[in-house]
Amino acid sequence: MDKIEHIGIAVENLEKSNALFAKLFGEAPYKEEEVASEGVKTSFFRSGPNKIELLEASNPDSPIAKFIAKKGEGVHHIAFAVDDIKAEMKRLASEGFQLLNEEPKMGADNKWVAFLHPKTTNGVLIELCQDRG
Ligand code: ZN
């Protein structure tokens, strides 16, 4: 794993949180995107070399809706950049980590993504992401 690619934050209302984080960073989000297959609406902010992803549930069955119902708003996942997501998924599975998807999925921001179950990573949802190029 190369570096932290972004940190994902679950929010109840993307519009309100966009305004809040725009004040925090002094800049509007550089991208907004809905990932229908994941049931999320997202926006991305830059803070220097770092990226923050805000996620709002786009339907009641969304994993983000379930997360907020259980834990409230807050840090949802940490994403790490990888060069070869399939190789990394294989390596981590062989190390005993539970993957939430068996094949890379199309994520937001032009990435292939995969998630590790938080029960195998001390309660932290880990996302792997590889540029789709
Ligand atoms: Zn993410």
Side-chain angles (χ1 to χ4, degrees):
M1 289 190 220
D2 291 341
K3 58 165 187 174
I4 292 178
E5 213 287 328
H6 63 269
I7 293 173
I9 297 175
V11 303
E12 278 177 17
N13 182 310
L14 194 62
E15 210 180 295
K16 280 188 189 163
S17 295
N18 277 344
L20 181 73
F21 279 78
K23 260 192 251 176
L24 181 69
F25 295 128
E27 252 178 86
Y30 67 91
K31 183 186 271 196
E32 285 190 52
E33 189 180 346
E34 180 160 0
V35 185
S37 57
E38 296 295 302
V40 294
K41 287 193 278 184
T42 67
S43 63
F44 287 86
F45 289 84
R46 277 189 218 287
S47 168
N50 302 305
K51 284 161 50 177
I52 299 292
E53 174 185 31
L54 303 184
L55 305 110
E56 180 199 57
S58 59
N59 68 63
D61 295 324
S62 163
I64 295 300
K66 289 175 188 159
F67 178 89
I68 289 177
K70 210 168 147 190
K71 298 188 168 177
E73 294 180 297
V75 173
H76 177 258
H77 64 269
I78 301 176
F80 292 91
V82 298
D83 285 334
D84 183 343
I85 195 168
K86 284 193 175 176
E88 199 63 8
M89 288 168 76
K90 208 171 153 189
R91 182 183 76 80
L92 293 168
S94 77
E95 293 284 3
F97 294 99
Q98 187 185 331
L99 291 154
L100 289 176
N101 46 302
E102 304 214 328
E103 292 294 325
K105 300 192 287 189
M106 285 221 243
D109 203 26
N110 200 36
K111 306 279 191 220
W112 290 112
V113 301
F115 290 92
L116 300 182
H117 198 296
K119 80 179 178 196
T120 59
T121 50
N122 287 167
V124 180
L125 179 62
I126 304 272
E127 175 183 349
L128 308 176
C129 54
Q130 179 188 339
D131 275 326
R132 275 196 270 148

